[in-house]
Amino acid sequence: MPVSRLFGYVEIVGHFMIHIILVLFIIEGVSFYKPPVEMHKTRVDRIVFVALNFLLVLATFLLIYYRFA
């Protein structure tokens, strides 16, 4: 019995976003460009940059999820 049959549309929408991200990582792989976090020189700047980006992405995912779920 597929999980989508048990949980329905909510399961499909919730897992679709994660699968898109995983596919992007597989396609992109290791590259030659510098990651955006390296434009910040100090460790504190990098920590703030990563934390703010994490919150932004999390909020975006939650907004999309609750909009379509």
Side-chain angles (χ1 to χ4, degrees):
M1 179 175 181
V3 176
S4 61
R5 217 168 199 201
L6 182 62
F7 293 107
Y9 184 72
V10 173
E11 188 273 335
I12 293 171
V13 170
H15 285 92
F16 180 73
M17 294 183 288
I18 302 301
H19 287 111
I20 292 298
I21 291 172
L22 291 173
V23 167
L24 285 175
F25 276 116
I26 290 170
I27 291 172
E28 184 69 25
V30 178
S31 64
F32 56 87
Y33 70 93
K34 288 179 11 180
V37 74
E38 287 190 9
M39 65 185 179
H40 301 287
K41 303 296 181 209
T42 66
R43 175 174 250 183
V44 173
D45 287 345
R46 288 183 178 191
I47 290 171
V48 170
F49 178 76
V50 170
L52 289 177
N53 278 303
F54 173 76
L55 292 174
L56 178 67
V57 170
L58 180 64
T60 303
F61 280 166
L62 288 173
L63 285 172
I64 292 171
Y65 181 78
Y66 284 115
R67 169 63 180 95
F68 293 108

